[in-house]
Amino acid sequence: MKKIEHLGIAVANLQESIIVFEKLLNTTCYKTEEVTSEGVRTAFFQVGASKIELLEATNPDSPIAKFLTKQGGGIHHIAFEVDDIEVEIKRLQALDFQLIHESPKEGADNKRIAFLHPKSTNGVLVELCQEKN
Ligand code: ZN
């Protein structure tokens, strides 16, 4: 894995949280994007070589809505950048890691993504992402 590409943070209200994080990070949100398949609206901030991704649920069945109900917000996932997501999925499966997505899907911010099940990663939700060419 190349680097921590971003940290995902679950928020109840994206517009209010963008204002908070713009002040905190002293930078402006460079993109907001809805990922319909995941039921989320996202906002991105560049912080050095990494990013912060804020995630707001767009419907009650969204994984973010469930996370907010259970845990009340906060850090939701860590995303690692990889060169070849298919190769990385196969490598991790061979080591008995449990994948939520066994093949890559479309993510926000021009990425192909796959999530690992937190049960196999000490309770941490891990996202693999590869920049689309
Ligand atoms: Zn993410």
Side-chain angles (χ1 to χ4, degrees):
M1 305 207 187
K2 292 166 74 178
K3 66 173 185 186
I4 295 176
E5 211 280 336
H6 64 268
L7 284 183
I9 297 173
V11 301
N13 183 308
L14 193 63
Q15 286 315 314
E16 287 176 10
S17 301
I18 286 173
I19 293 167
V20 172
F21 277 81
E22 284 186 338
K23 286 184 199 161
L24 174 70
L25 302 170
N26 197 23
T27 187
T28 51
C29 166
Y30 71 86
K31 180 194 272 189
T32 59
E33 186 178 350
E34 189 164 336
V35 184
T36 314
S37 62
E38 286 290 298
V40 297
R41 196 172 295 118
T42 62
F44 286 90
F45 301 85
Q46 190 75 47
V47 187
S50 300
K51 295 166 189 164
I52 296 291
E53 173 187 38
L54 303 181
L55 302 119
E56 173 189 62
T58 55
N59 68 65
D61 296 324
S62 161
I64 295 301
K66 290 173 188 161
F67 181 83
L68 287 171
T69 303
K70 266 208 265 186
Q71 321 218 15
I75 294 179
H76 177 258
H77 65 269
I78 300 177
F80 294 102
E81 185 176 349
V82 299
D83 282 325
D84 185 329
I85 195 163
E86 273 97 354
V87 167
E88 200 61 28
I89 287 170
K90 286 200 186 86
R91 183 183 78 82
L92 293 168
Q93 282 175 323
L95 294 168
D96 289 330
F97 286 95
Q98 209 182 319
L99 274 290
I100 294 173
H101 309 110
E102 299 197 341
S103 56
K105 53 181 290 185
E106 299 285 304
D109 203 31
N110 195 42
K111 297 286 194 300
R112 300 168 71 219
I113 64 161
F115 279 92
L116 277 77
H117 200 289
K119 273 179 192 159
S120 61
T121 51
N122 284 86
V124 179
L125 181 59
V126 172
E127 174 184 356
L128 308 175
C129 61
Q130 179 186 355
E131 185 92 26
K132 282 193 278 186
N133 295 321

